[in-house]
Amino acid sequence: MEKILVGLKRVVDYNVRVRVRSDGNGIETDGVKMSINPFDEIALEEALRIKERGEASEVIVVSIGSADAQQQLRTGLAMGADRAILVNSDTAPDPLTTAKTLLALIEKEGIDLVILGKQAIDEDNNQTGQMLAAIWGRPQATFASEIEFSGESARVTREVDAGLEVIEVDMPAVVTCDLRLNEPRYVKLPDIMKAKKKPLDEIAMADLDVQPESTVSAISFEPPAEREKGVMLDDVAGLVVALKDKGLL
Amino acid sequence: MAKILIIAEHCDGIVNPSTAKCVACAAEITDASIDVAVFAENGETVVGEVAAMGSVDKVIQVNNNTNTRALAAVIAPQVVALADGYSHIFGPSTTFGKDLMPRVAALMDVNQLSDIMEVLGSHRFKRPIYAGNAVVTVEAPQDKPVIATVRIASYKAVPSDGSAKIESASPDAEIPGHTRFVEVLSGESDRPDLQTASLVVSGGRALSSEEDFNIIYELADTIGAGAGASRAAVDAGYAPNEMQVGQTGKIIAPDLYIAIGISGAIQHLTGIKDAGTIVAINKDPEAPIFEVADIGLVGDLFDMVPELTAALS
Ligand SMILES: Cc1cc2nc3c(=O)[nH]c(=O)nc-3n(C[C@H](O)[C@H](O)[C@H](O)COP(=O)(O)OP(=O)(O)OC[C@H]3O[C@@H](n4cnc5c(N)ncnc54)[C@H](O)[C@@H]3O)c2cc1C
Ligand SMILES: Nc1ncnc2c1ncn2[C@@H]1O[C@H](COP(=O)(O)O)[C@@H](O)[C@H]1O
């Protein structure tokens, strides 16, 4: 296969304790650390390993959003991607718009495999890969924990509620990654220097002929319901009594 | 009036409880008719079970030999072929529904709404974002069908007191051959299903080996509980992946959840927010799990868990 496309979304780092803004109009993002969506790092790592095994020749990373996402794309280049594309969009794109943008890039670049994260940890949508596969008319192998290629198809092990499901998909296809697919490599300093010379192209969403969708709109944000403060007990005997008193056992 | 279609989840002739929970969510929409579609190779027993669910008006049986396994690429075009006239199409936010519903939505050229946790109106819903650190109220466009997944931990299954009519359908859809089922590898377990168990015992990284994890199973079996695990315990190979609880595992709402040797990372907590009573056993009094636990015990799990099992035997 020739080209693999990997989606990198810029999101609030997973270690940040996200808070709702006091005016209820959104999430506190001022001064908050931003990172590559953790599932997307796994997606990129997988693409790089496929290339390193000689099963693909080029890995392209793409991010759709504000110019700030250049940072995440540079990190992707430092990890080993060959080049990066930033699709500029003033508003945060919804999953269907994102899927249409990715499809436009697939057609422009001639992509053989798309690897995305299974979900972006900001909105926890878990949709984009499935939508892209639908409008591309190609297979989707979601929640992947293992990928193996043989000729024109791939065998993918998926993490499903019942355990592990194995499916076979014809190429080209969309794969979305679960956490156990691999462990992403660390970026080394010399790679960061090298990455500065790698191409990072910018393109406006409108130039790809994609119009943002009329979409689900956010009305208000609130913190989750708090649980009442619990009690600390001294020993197992006390726990047994407490559980029996509550009628739980 | 809302006209709602729910896609039933089932396996080996048994309806997944997620289906009755989707119905419960749909029933919160006022003045709605609720149909449930069963895609199967031969869905007789499943259709019977679904027809007995309260609030269901009609069951649509789609028997087709391509539907032996629930492949999203195969089922989605059939759902789209049935979609005409429906204002809402719901599926569960299990791995089945998460795989299928976005594919359905995109084929219909509409966005999808994930994880409905509360219905505020026919087009207004609440859903969790940022691993449950925030809840957003959203409004779906009025001029398009609402395609959504239902966060099943937020709903109680409707009772089986109904008698819906049953209809057969053969939707006119082109079924792609590019996606093929190979096999499911799952550990056989006699324990209650994690997603519906009223009692759940979970173990974390502190269990330190697959063998040591047996003390979790022993406690679970003593009280008839389902068994769960943190991601760290699954990653380390102490427990299989289908036991993972949390943001990327299962979101559960048992009456009692016992977290053993689990620190309480936000990604884990998001999976147990709706548990009735949370008990935590951890040797670190500062562990964040104690901030959400109703009952906390500080101490070594290797002493406390066998003692608890013995006391309850
Ligand atoms: C994108 C993303 C998604 C994630 N999704 C999930 C998810 O779905 N589910 C999930 O669980 N995690 C998830 N995680 C991982 C999560 O951040 C934590 O790393 C994980 O939950 C930690 O597991 P743990 O509590 O078992 O391990 P640790 O954090 O290592 O905690 C072990 C605990 O055991 C205690 N302990 C040690 N020895 C003993 C003893 N002898 N007796 C009693 N207590 C003892 C320690 O004090 C400690 O609190 C995700 C992470 C990311 C980045
Ligand atoms: N704005 C974006 N830019 C690049 N990739 C994205 C973007 N949004 C979503 N993706 C990809 O789609 C996956 C699933 O996202 P979501 O459907 O939003 O949960 C992510 O893990 C990314 O790989």
Side-chain angles (χ1 to χ4, degrees), chain A residues 122-140:
Chain A
D122 47 7
E123 301 234 353
D124 286 331
N125 275 323
N126 198 329
Q127 300 173 4
T128 306
Q130 297 88 313
M131 291 190 153
L132 173 61
I135 57 177
W136 191 14
R138 296 305 311 164
Q140 65 190 46

Side-chain angles (χ1 to χ4, degrees), chain B residues 121-135:
Chain B
S122 65
H123 289 73
R124 195 171 273 223
F125 308 93
K126 283 192 184 181
R127 63 172 298 252
I129 53 174
Y130 288 94
N133 275 313
V135 173

